[in-house]
Amino acid sequence: MNPYKNQKVCIVTGGNSGVGLMTAFGLAQFGHHVFIACRCASKAEKAVNYIRSSTGNLNVEFLPLDLASLDSVRRYVKLFQDRQLPLHLLVNNAGVFNTRGTTQEGFELIWGINYLGHFLLTNLLLETLQHSAPSQIVMVASDLALRPTSIKWERFVRKTPLNFIELYAVSKLCLLILTQELSRRLENTNVTVNAIHPGFVQSNITLGHRLSKYLGIGISPQESASGLLTCATSAAFADVKGKFFDYKQNEIELPDLAQDTELAQQLWERSCLWTGYNRYRLTTTPNSNTTAGVLEPYSLALSPTELDSITKTIIEDVLPKPPIKNHFYDRAKFLFMFRFGSIFLLLNQFRKKEFHMERHLDSDAVWSICQDKNLRQKLKEYLGEELLLWRSEIWVNYPSQQLIPFWHQDSYPNLLQGEGKTINVYIALTEVNEWNGFEYIPNLQLTPDVSVKIKDPFSGNRLFDLPEDLEQQAVPVVLRPGEFVLFTDQLMHRSIRNTSGQVRLALTLRLTQPSVHIVSSYSPIYSKPVLL
């Protein structure tokens, strides 16, 4: 008689200690094939040896997983899928409570480990789980998930704040929301998704938890894991979906936020964007015309590989090393001409590093983009055969930052003299989307209810107050890397706070015809106009 006739393949994240270790231990006792997923190989090895020697089940293994790195999650899934095994149970148990910092990709560390890493892991394993059905997913949440009253997206792309408990609670709330969303998406499959609150466990997650067993409070990891195992293996729970239980199998009522389907859809879409899973995208920027202010997206002739190489060069070599003459010129203008805009540019480049002027001539990488044949062709269709490039800007929008938050129109026509046409080009060097780019008001007509709020003393741009109904007409620009749009100076636009979790890099070029000249009072220019 085969003792492993009903053997299941299981993955337990954080299976090297605490509730995860006892869960892996219990599954091994049932004769299942258990994979412990954790970051520390030495701790995992001890856990594997302990389970094997105590249960006699040699089908206990370790595969490395660091949930603070999305690349590590992808490597883990590949390692597992290379084994060509089914997957019947995924226990998303790993978590941190009071760790501070950011993940490899720049997300808040607690939320990134507890939720986002598990989001990607679960979705990359969904197909295997469906092919192995009946199968189950168990999210280890917390009753602290009942506390949050809202989700503030910008906090996910910043370092852990002083109030880390709030981020922990939100991370567990997101697991409850994910439980509900996955249950809806897997409704017609034989894959169930549920969440469990493990209780106050005498574990090592915090100093208080470590001391709890000496103070006679809390429950043991064995007791907590016993409840989790019942939910994961009992026939009574085989058809239960989308529920939240405590370790005694009592159902906990879900908070309103966890049942908000619109919020769940938002979280799903953002998580797909943040992790690169399924590359959720809006449709590209809609076709438009000069009346709207933006001309439809086009693509550079550069291949993805060439563009990746150029983008890497710009980030690693061009931006960190601005020409010394530029800084000298700015300092001289400030000290001897009292041009305060110059010191503003200096401080901006040194501190925020988000705005870099006139970099097309000092870098072969940037200049190669300016000379792209597809770009030149589209510009010639609009301006004619002779193209005068008179200004350029590299814009870097870092996570949780916003470049120009006010509605404005560019003031560059004031810097030009003579008869001729002008056009601007916005080139996406990394993905531009509704979470990191800019938005504009199509077909805007300046009316009395569109008032000037203030005039920017540095750029001369007029900053506008727009009525709420007009703001609601805003359209986000959405571009793949290597795509570009042409836009006019009449475009009413503003930057979007970057909540994409990724750096957004873009190049803006200002072009005109040779019949147009730059006014002599225009000072922040380091290179003469150049013919493309």
Side-chain angles (χ1 to χ4, degrees), residues 136-238:
Q136 294 171 288
I137 302 169
V138 177
M139 308 282 188
V140 178
S142 168
D143 59 354
L144 287 177
L146 307 179
R147 292 176 50 173
T149 58
S150 65
I151 289 181
K152 298 178 175 64
W153 306 106
E154 69 275 8
R155 294 189 178 183
F156 299 154
V157 288
R158 296 176 178 171
K159 290 182 179 179
T160 311
L162 291 176
N163 184 10
F164 63 85
I165 295 178
E166 182 179 349
L167 266 298
Y168 178 83
V170 170
S171 73
K172 295 300 184 178
L173 169 64
C174 287
L175 286 177
L176 293 185
I177 296 173
L178 180 59
T179 298
Q180 294 296 296
E181 183 65 20
L182 281 173
S183 295
R184 285 188 285 269
R185 291 173 178 267
L186 297 170
E187 185 176 2
N188 297 319
T189 70
N190 204 5
V191 181
T192 64
V193 190
N194 292 290
I196 189 166
H197 167 47
F200 186 85
V201 183
Q202 298 163 351
S203 65
N204 61 359
I205 193 169
T206 70
L207 178 61
H209 286 79
R210 294 189 190 99
L211 295 175
S212 60
K213 63 180 178 180
Y214 303 109
L215 300 174
I217 59 176
I219 61 174
S220 68
Q222 292 89 338
E223 185 177 359
S224 178
S226 176
L228 191 157
L229 287 166
T230 300
C231 290
T233 61
S234 172
F237 292 88

Side-chain angles (χ1 to χ4, degrees), residues 426 432 436-440 475-477 491 493-496 504:
Y426 180 90
V432 174
N436 69 10
F438 72 94
E439 56 186 354
Y440 69 97
V475 177
V477 171
L491 187 71
H493 59 291
R494 69 176 177 184
S495 167
I496 295 171
R504 188 265 287 169

